Amino acid sequence: DPARAAATPLPEIAELEGPAPWAYVPIDFVWRAHHSMVIDNLCDLTHAHLHRRFTSFASGRLLDCQSRDDRVLLRYEAKVGPLVHRDVPPSPMTICYEYPYHWASFEWSGIRGRIKYWTFLLPMDARTTRVFFVMSYDALRVRGAPVTLPRPVVRLILRAVQPIVRSLLDQDGVALEAEQAGYEAHWAMPPLELNPAVARLHRLTIRKWEAHLARGAAPRAEVPA
């Protein structure tokens, strides 16, 4: 609803807007999937098996899930990052669907250094979403290494590995587009979700849509496929 845009400003990203900005990499995709499915994917750590070529995390253990009017906050414990296949302990991870945005805060398992990323969604029609990731990294230190990698070095590494990051997230896109196709073919079947937090994500999105309709706003015509 364009008339309400000013009431929900873009979030301030302290990690990038402060006096000592973190290293960051922006990346975006267009996926043929409803925006709520994208949120499910980003918040649900039970789908690690879908990442076959590049694995960035192992299925996490949900520790806590809290809901408020405009957000769902999840806390996990999971192996995350490039050392996921090594003998490293799991790391705590906080994920938040802060309507209409998503963010996650964590450290890679076996690597010291804070990481936070935001995701911004632009629904293009009922089955297509443009997804913008802004991933920011503090100084990093691999377990057992004698030095900490400063932010300028981290920035150079991020540029070098960006093709791998894109390939990793492309796997999410393939899974989401398959999920969208499955929903359109079998929309009347009950959804099967392993993660109990997903229902809370759905309820938040539905509440916002119902509030939109209650204000008398007619649904926008869908762009033809």
Side-chain angles (χ1 to χ4, degrees), residues 7-84:
T8 308
L10 287 170
E12 294 183 3
I13 303 179
E15 294 78 13
L16 302 183
E17 298 173 342
W22 293 10
Y24 81 100
V25 54
I27 191 169
D28 70 281
F29 300 85
V30 175
W31 290 333
R32 289 187 58 79
H34 190 268
H35 61 87
S36 66
M37 293 182 180
V38 179
I39 289 293
D40 292 354
N41 177 277
L42 296 173
C43 294
D44 183 4
L45 293 189
T46 65
H47 74 277
H49 61 283
L50 298 177
H51 292 268
R52 307 295 175 84
R53 185 180 177 193
F54 297 108
T55 303
S56 64
F57 68 95
S59 293
R61 184 165 66 99
L62 181 64
L63 303 177
D64 186 37
C65 180
Q66 300 176 13
S67 301
R68 289 199 322 208
D69 289 343
D70 291 331
R71 78 176 193 173
V72 178
L73 184 71
L74 304 97
R75 291 186 174 87
Y76 285 97
E77 184 180 67
K79 288 188 176 183
V80 186
L83 303 182
V84 67

Side-chain angles (χ1 to χ4, degrees), residues 184-200:
E184 292 178 359
H186 307 288
W187 59 269
M189 295 184 67
L192 301 176
E193 293 291 351
L194 300 178
N195 190 333
V198 171
R200 299 194 184 200

Side-chain angles (χ1 to χ4, degrees), residues 122-186:
L122 176 63
M124 301 174 69
D125 59 46
R127 62 170 64 89
T128 311
T129 307
R130 190 172 181 187
V131 186
F132 300 84
F133 294 95
V134 178
M135 304 180 182
S136 54
Y137 301 77
D138 198 358
L140 302 178
R141 183 172 182 172
V142 180
R143 186 176 65 171
V147 297
T148 297
L149 299 178
R151 293 168 186 166
V153 174
V154 174
R155 189 176 294 112
L156 292 175
I157 295 173
L158 292 176
R159 291 175 182 171
V161 302
Q162 187 157 7
I164 297 176
V165 175
R166 178 168 284 277
S167 295
L168 169 68
L169 292 170
D170 275 336
Q171 296 177 116
D172 290 283
V174 170
L176 283 165
E177 292 180 355
E179 184 177 357
Q180 178 71 39
Y183 170 77
E184 292 178 359
H186 307 288

